[in-house]
Amino acid sequence: ENATGVAYATALTLSANAPADADDATTLAANPLFSTGGHALTISDTAAALLGLNTATEQMATTLALTASQSVNVTQLVELTELGVKFYLAGHTLTVNDTAARLATLNTLETALANGGETLSTDVTSAAPVNAATATLLAALPAFSDHGYLLVVQDSVANLIALPAAAQAIATTVQLAPVAVIITAAQGAALAALAHFSAAGASITVSDTIADLNNAGTAGWSTITSTY
């Protein structure tokens, strides 16, 4: 920052490992006299500032670290992942806020950023219904939260019956699409046994033999049917 001193210098070299924010690091990288001298340069800043670094500054850094806990969207998380092994959370919490559909696209590489014991949490930011496959993916995300929104899982009879317990647990409501369906007593009992299942909006007809309808093991069908 001493312009006069820099003007007289023939070389600018770190004397020890050092931290810098994104602006200072960018200034150093732009100076042709500057060298890290083999020392570690840690650039600590917000996720947005780290993602805004130019190539020369990013390459010069030994480590790219967050300065505080913060939130990013899915696009930003993917871009942070692309920073490679240089990026780390530095003990902070990184929360990913986005729609359910976009959160469900995350892979294990992108959700593995918290490799130093930090926390990566994922929050949904809209109340749009999701299908069973999306709910299953969401349930597998680290520290998933519906962020106060209603998470409705809506799908076919077969897909809802196969819905894993973890996906049922994160759902506010599990329901069929608002159409007419014909199911067996066993299917009705399986739907009734789902956590948070609601028959609202669907027209459910149970069609089966008298023996199956009277079977105590599948008696749950009677709690969700419209007709039989």
Side-chain angles (χ1 to χ4, degrees), residues 160-188:
L160 290 183
I161 290 175
L163 192 65
Q168 296 178 45
I170 66 170
T172 308
T173 304
V174 177
Q175 64 184 38
L176 295 168
V179 295
V181 294
I182 299 175
I183 61 176
T184 65
Q187 289 175 317

Side-chain angles (χ1 to χ4, degrees), residues 159-224:
N159 288 342
L160 290 183
I161 290 175
L163 192 65
Q168 296 178 45
I170 66 170
T172 308
T173 304
V174 177
Q175 64 184 38
L176 295 168
V179 295
V181 294
I182 299 175
I183 61 176
T184 65
Q187 289 175 317
L191 289 174
L194 292 172
H196 314 300
F197 180 76
S198 171
S203 175
I204 303 174
T205 299
V206 176
S207 178
D208 216 322
T209 65
I210 293 176
D212 286 335
L213 291 174
N214 291 328
N215 186 339
T218 57
W221 67 264
S222 62
T223 64
I224 67 167

